[in-house]
């Protein structure tokens, strides 16, 4: 039937098409940034920055995160540590950190009596923040020494910018799953954001693990929303609604820990996918009344979800026919094109991130595994998120002890 042929062409053609868009946008974006968007060598204005670190059961990671903060080249900052009802000794470690570093920079500790999730923790922490700018990082982040300088420079130079997102790089690489996520962060996530920034002037979401905000922008949108699954995606779009710009700067680098367990990885990706659905639902009016760039980003989200559903149905049909007809129906030419485009995309990500991601050529040997296995993980996560969103549209955030490799 012609309809099935169209669906099949869409399933095969869509990832090829968007990969070409990402690659092209990334290349031109890097050229533009290198020519016109170089950071200032010296900062004429050095306002106070409040660094917010929300934590729940972060016994193993918090000390290292604060150590990296203490080594920042930018010195005019205060540290706000937020304990979201940890069941381990995170609060005790915060007290130890305050005694150890209080002579170097001001430190405040905010104790939350009931675990209500990261969004609430950020809201409570921001109430104690005196800085003109607010930087949010996760408690497992290791910051590049120049990261805060770049954030301040961006916010100083562009008064219409409400947030500047940074680039996370995976640091736990002792397992195949960790190294696959390293590939994804530098070869997919980073490239997509570079392309989005160049093509639309916007990004779908800031990265909650490292982002700088203008405090006035946070006040305009009334802080973070504790009723959504992903507070970073949600606040990005509420900033757009209040006419604030959101930028992405790949030179703002932090190193993070990622799940090394497939079950927990799927949970994480399901949460991300559900966050995208929540933003799409809450901002559906922008499909008609938003700026062209906002319409493009929302439309791409819809098309991606449709592709995930159709691909799942097609896969089920393929497996069924494989067991009943005993015939393998794979187009080798199409698979070769997909693999070549993926290799090109990861090569671009490798060379653009090699310096700050400390990557080696051997890491690229996992690209075929990523294309086959890892995309399937994300596909399963997307379908699970759609089902979750339909069955349980309301959600109040809490934290659980995270799965982070070492």
């Amino acid at each position: 039937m012609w309809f099935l042929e169209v669906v099949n062409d869409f399933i095969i053609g869509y990832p090829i098409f968007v990969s070409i868009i990402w690659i092209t946008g990334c290349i031109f974006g890097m050229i533009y940034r290198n020519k016109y968007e170089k950071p200032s060598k010296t900062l004429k204005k050095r306002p106070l920055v409040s660094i917010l670190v929300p934590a729940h059961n972060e016994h193993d990671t918090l000390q290292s995160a604060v150590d990296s903060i203490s080594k920042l080249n930018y010195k005019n900052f205060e540290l706000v540590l937020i304990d979201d009802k940890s069941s381990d000794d995170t609060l005790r470690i915060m007290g130890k950190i305050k005694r150890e570093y209080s002579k170097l920079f001001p430190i405040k500790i905010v104790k939350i009596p009931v675990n209500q999730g990261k969004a609430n923790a950020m809201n409570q922490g921001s109430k104690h923040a005196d800085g003109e700018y607010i930087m949010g990082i996760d408690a497992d982040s290791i910051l590049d020494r120049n990261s805060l300088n770049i954030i301040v420079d961006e916010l100083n130079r562009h008064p219409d910018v409400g947030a500047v997102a940074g680039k996370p790089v995976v640091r736990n690489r002792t397992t195949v799953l960790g190294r696959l996520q390293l590939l994804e962060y530098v070869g997919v996530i980073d490239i997509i954001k570079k392309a989005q920034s160049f093509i639309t002037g916007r990004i779908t979401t800031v990265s909650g693990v490292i982002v700088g905000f203008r405090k006035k922008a946070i006040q305009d949108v009334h802080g973070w929303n504790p009723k959504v699954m992903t507070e970073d995606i949600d606040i990005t779009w509420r900033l757009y609604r209040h006419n604030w710009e959101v930028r992405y700067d790949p030179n703002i680098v932090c190193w993070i820990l990622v799940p090394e367990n497939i079950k927990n990885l799927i949970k994480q990706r399901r949460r991300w996918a559900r966050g995208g659905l929540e933003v799409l639902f809450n901002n559906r009016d922008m499909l008609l009344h938003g700026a062209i760039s906002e319409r493009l980003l929302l439309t791409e989200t819809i098309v991606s979800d449709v592709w995930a559903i159709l691909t799942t149905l097609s896969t089920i049909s393929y497996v069924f026919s494989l067991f009943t007809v005993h015939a393998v129906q794979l187009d080798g030419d199409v698979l070769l094109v997909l693999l070549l485009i993926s290799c090109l995309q990861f090569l671009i990500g490798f060379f653009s991130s090699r310096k700050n991601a400390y990557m080696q050529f051997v890491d690229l040997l996992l690209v075929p595994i990523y294309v086959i296995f890892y995309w399937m993980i994300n596909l399963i996560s997307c379908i699970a998120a759609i089902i979750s969103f339909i069955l349980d549209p309301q959600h109040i955030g809490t934290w659980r002890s995270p799965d982070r490799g070492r």
Side-chain angles (χ1 to χ4, degrees):
M1 294 177 61
W2 67 268
F3 176 75
L4 294 179
E5 292 179 358
V6 171
V7 170
N8 188 61
D9 290 342
F10 171 69
I11 291 173
I12 295 173
Y14 176 71
I16 296 176
F17 174 75
V18 294
S19 292
I20 293 173
I21 296 296
W22 294 342
I23 291 170
T24 304
C26 174
I27 292 173
F28 281 99
M30 288 190 297
I31 294 173
Y32 178 86
R33 178 176 290 277
N34 289 335
K35 189 172 183 180
Y36 298 107
E37 293 287 336
K38 294 181 180 179
S40 301
K41 292 183 179 180
T42 58
L43 290 171
K44 295 181 181 179
K45 178 186 175 185
R46 293 179 177 269
L48 178 67
V49 179
S50 298
I51 302 178
L52 272 57
V53 186
H56 176 73
N57 292 351
E58 299 290 356
H59 168 88
D60 296 323
T61 61
L62 185 59
Q63 182 72 52
S64 297
V66 177
D67 285 344
S68 72
I69 291 172
S70 69
K71 297 172 184 176
L72 290 172
N73 292 330
Y74 191 92
K75 298 303 181 182
N76 189 22
F77 66 86
E78 64 175 4
L79 180 61
V80 182
L81 301 173
I82 310 146
D83 177 56
D84 194 17
K85 190 57 177 178
S86 295
S87 57
D88 64 1
D89 62 346
T90 294
L91 187 60
R92 181 191 64 80
I93 293 174
M94 288 181 177
K96 174 178 172 291
I97 288 171
K98 184 173 183 178
R99 292 189 297 272
E100 184 176 350
Y101 291 100
S102 59
K103 292 183 180 180
L104 299 178
F105 45 83
I107 299 178
K108 302 173 183 177
I109 297 177
V110 179
K111 181 180 178 181
I112 301 177
V114 179
N115 175 13
Q116 297 183 53
K118 183 178 178 181
N120 177 70
M122 292 294 285
N123 285 331
Q124 297 303 318
S126 64
K127 293 178 181 178
H128 298 265
D130 295 323
E132 181 180 342
Y133 302 152
I134 292 177
M135 180 184 186
I137 71 166
D138 279 0
D140 69 331
S141 295
I142 302 296
L143 299 180
D144 179 82
R145 293 189 177 192
N146 205 40
S147 56
L148 189 50
N149 291 61
I150 301 173
I151 288 176
V152 172
D153 182 44
E154 288 274 6
L155 294 173
N156 281 348
R157 289 194 293 168
H158 305 285
D160 58 337
V161 171
V164 183
K167 173 182 176 178
V169 177
V170 174
R171 60 187 173 103
N172 53 318
R173 311 172 187 183
T174 56
T175 65
V176 172
L177 200 57
R179 292 170 65 193
L180 286 173
Q181 289 173 86
L182 169 66
L183 285 177
E184 180 185 35
Y185 273 88
V186 302
V188 178
I189 295 175
D190 180 49
I191 284 181
I192 290 175
K193 288 187 176 181
K194 287 176 179 175
Q196 288 178 342
S197 296
F198 178 75
I199 296 171
T200 71
R202 281 166 164 71
I203 57 175
T204 302
T205 176
V206 300
S207 179
V209 296
I210 178 168
V211 56
F213 294 97
R214 194 179 303 275
K215 188 174 184 179
K216 185 178 184 303
I218 295 295
Q219 294 170 340
D220 281 352
V221 300
H222 306 293
W224 291 263
N225 184 0
K227 295 183 179 180
V228 297
M229 186 74 76
T230 50
E231 76 293 329
D232 45 5
I233 305 178
D234 176 80
I235 199 168
T236 303
W237 285 85
R238 286 191 290 116
L239 285 170
Y240 291 149
R241 280 189 172 276
H242 286 76
N243 299 315
W244 286 102
E245 296 294 324
V246 176
R247 290 187 168 228
Y248 173 65
D249 193 322
N251 296 311
I252 303 169
V253 177
C254 75
W255 292 274
I256 63 171
L257 297 172
V258 294
E260 292 186 335
N261 174 285
I262 292 179
K263 179 180 177 181
N264 289 323
L265 176 63
I266 292 177
K267 285 182 179 179
Q268 180 197 63
R269 298 314 162 93
R270 182 184 64 187
R271 183 175 64 84
W272 290 3
R274 173 169 174 141
L277 290 171
E278 289 175 342
V279 165
L280 180 61
F281 180 79
N282 294 333
N283 296 279
R284 57 191 182 278
D285 61 303
M286 296 177 73
L287 285 166
L288 296 176
H289 306 296
I292 293 177
S293 57
E294 294 161 353
R295 297 182 195 181
L296 286 174
L297 291 177
L298 290 172
T299 300
E300 197 276 331
T301 301
I302 294 174
V303 176
S304 296
D305 290 336
V306 171
W307 177 83
I309 294 171
L310 292 177
T311 301
T312 301
L313 295 176
S314 177
T315 302
I316 294 173
S317 174
Y318 173 80
V319 172
F320 179 77
S321 64
L322 180 64
F323 283 99
T324 56
V325 183
H326 303 289
V328 178
Q329 300 175 350
L330 290 176
D331 191 327
D333 293 336
V334 172
L335 291 177
L336 180 61
V337 170
L338 276 171
L339 185 58
L340 289 176
I341 291 177
S342 296
C343 288
L344 175 60
Q345 181 174 324
F346 284 105
L347 277 172
I348 294 172
F350 174 81
F351 283 109
S352 65
S353 302
R354 188 179 183 183
K355 183 178 179 180
N356 54 35
Y358 301 101
M359 295 184 67
Q360 300 176 347
F361 279 107
V362 69
D363 294 317
L364 296 176
L365 296 178
L366 290 174
V367 169
I369 298 177
Y370 179 91
V371 173
I372 297 171
F373 171 75
Y374 207 79
W375 280 16
M376 187 59 66
I377 292 289
N378 288 331
L379 187 64
I380 293 171
S381 304
C382 182
I383 296 300
I386 293 173
I387 295 173
S388 170
F389 184 72
I390 293 173
L391 297 179
D392 181 23
Q394 302 296 325
H395 176 80
I396 302 297
T398 57
W399 286 9
R400 296 180 181 177
S401 299
D403 164 34
R404 294 172 179 148
R406 296 289 178 264

